[in-house]
């Protein structure tokens, strides 16, 4: 199942997996009837203020890829879940519990970007990726342009676990830990994309 989140709603493709979507191909154009229909629908969906989920079935992955590529500017990002003895690192940004993440820079791999962003936002270095996690996808309006952000997530460990410092210039006010005592509170207050896509992994990590 592939989900795109926008604020508190989701666009759901129950018969498609994110791994089936291909972007960047010159042949990946919105030429088919189904792809154009999806483009037309997305134009209306983005203007709709109803915070309800929408399910789209019976559409091919290549048509979804083509429509998304035509409708959105791609904005890839990467982030990490740093683990330590049954707890996971979290941040608070603008009053909302979150996980450290940020945009992938030109020429950067998702793995390199994820470790850089985690260190910048939390002050914790000595990072090592231990496991890839599912990506989250969400759309947002930036400078009057709709962007589609795929965030690559990784489980990490650190050799410098006690050196946390929030990156205040990015609106981060705290760096804290999630454990089994407060995981449910975190999941209820964080972004829906994180709670739904990464919630199972987080619950598993805090009970190891």
């Amino acid at each position: 199942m592939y989900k795109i989140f926008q604020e508190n709603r989701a666009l759901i493709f129950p018969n498609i997996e994110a791994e089936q979507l291909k972007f960047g191909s010159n042949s990946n154009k919105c030429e088919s009837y189904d792809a154009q229909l999806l483009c037309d629908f997305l134009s209306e969906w983005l203007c709709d203020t109803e915070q309800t989920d929408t399910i789209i079935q019976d559409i091919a992955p290549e048509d979804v890829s083509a429509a998304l590529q035509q409708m959105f500017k791609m904005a890839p990002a990467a982030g990490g879940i740093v683990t330590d003895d049954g707890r996971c690192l979290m941040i608070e940004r603008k009053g909302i519990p979150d996980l450290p993440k940020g945009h992938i820079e030109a020429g950067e791999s998702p793995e390199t970007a994820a470790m850089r962003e985690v260190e910048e936002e939390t002050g914790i270095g000595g990072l090592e990726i231990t496991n890839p996690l599912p990506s989250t996808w969400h759309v947002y309006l930036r400078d009057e342009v709709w962007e589609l952000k795929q965030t690559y997530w990784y489980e990490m460990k650190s050799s410098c676990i006690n050196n946390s410092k929030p990156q205040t210039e990015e609106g981060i006010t705290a760096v804290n830990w999630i454990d089994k005592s407060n995981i449910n509170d975190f999941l209820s207050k964080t972004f829906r994309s994180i709670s739904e896509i990464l919630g199972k992994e987080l619950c598993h990590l805090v009970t190891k």
Side-chain angles (χ1 to χ4, degrees):
M1 181 181 295
Y2 174 55
K3 291 185 179 183
I4 301 174
F5 294 89
Q6 194 271 321
E7 295 185 354
N8 200 37
R9 61 178 175 167
L11 188 61
I12 303 170
F13 298 86
N15 302 318
I16 293 176
E17 299 298 331
E19 293 76 14
Q20 296 176 276
L21 304 179
K22 306 297 180 184
F23 300 107
S25 171
N26 290 331
S27 61
N28 195 6
K29 297 179 181 178
C30 213
E31 296 175 341
S32 76
Y33 179 71
D34 284 347
Q36 189 55 59
L37 280 180
L38 182 55
C39 284
D40 293 341
F41 170 79
L42 287 170
S43 295
E44 297 179 2
W45 183 73
L46 292 170
C47 296
D48 191 352
T49 58
E50 288 289 330
Q51 292 296 305
T52 56
D53 291 351
T54 302
I55 298 174
I56 297 180
Q57 304 191 70
D58 302 323
I59 186 168
E62 56 268 26
D63 292 328
V64 175
S65 301
L68 294 179
Q69 189 163 263
Q70 178 163 309
M71 293 297 301
F72 299 105
K73 176 183 177 182
M74 300 299 164
I81 301 175
V82 181
T83 63
D84 175 60
D85 194 24
R87 57 182 189 165
C88 299
L89 196 68
M90 60 157 281
I91 61 173
E92 188 168 304
R93 191 197 312 263
K94 299 178 181 178
I96 301 175
D98 199 358
L99 297 173
K101 64 183 182 301
H103 288 284
I104 299 173
E105 296 180 355
E108 224 178 8
S109 69
E111 294 86 352
T112 299
M115 290 187 289
R116 175 183 56 77
E117 286 289 345
V118 170
E119 182 169 3
E120 288 177 357
E121 294 196 345
T122 69
I124 290 180
L127 294 164
E128 177 186 348
I129 289 175
T130 58
N131 191 39
L133 298 169
S135 292
T136 56
W137 299 74
H138 74 274
V139 299
Y140 57 96
L141 189 63
R142 181 178 182 182
D143 297 330
E144 300 184 355
V145 175
W146 282 101
E147 297 188 359
L148 173 60
K149 177 184 285 186
Q150 176 187 5
T151 303
Y152 299 85
W153 293 101
Y154 301 92
E155 181 184 344
M156 302 177 181
K157 62 181 180 180
S158 169
S159 59
C160 307
I161 212 70
N162 296 317
N163 299 327
S164 65
K165 181 181 179 182
Q167 189 181 23
T168 54
E169 59 269 30
E170 290 293 325
I172 300 170
T173 55
V175 178
N176 295 310
W177 291 95
I178 313 164
D179 59 26
K180 61 183 179 181
S181 71
N182 60 3
I183 181 63
N184 290 333
D185 185 60
F186 172 82
L187 292 175
S188 70
K189 294 178 180 177
T190 191
F191 297 100
R192 186 179 166 194
S193 57
I194 289 177
S195 63
E196 288 196 13
I197 305 302
L198 297 175
K200 182 178 179 180
E201 281 78 10
L202 282 164
C203 288
H204 174 69
L205 291 171
V206 300
T207 56
K208 276 188 174 181

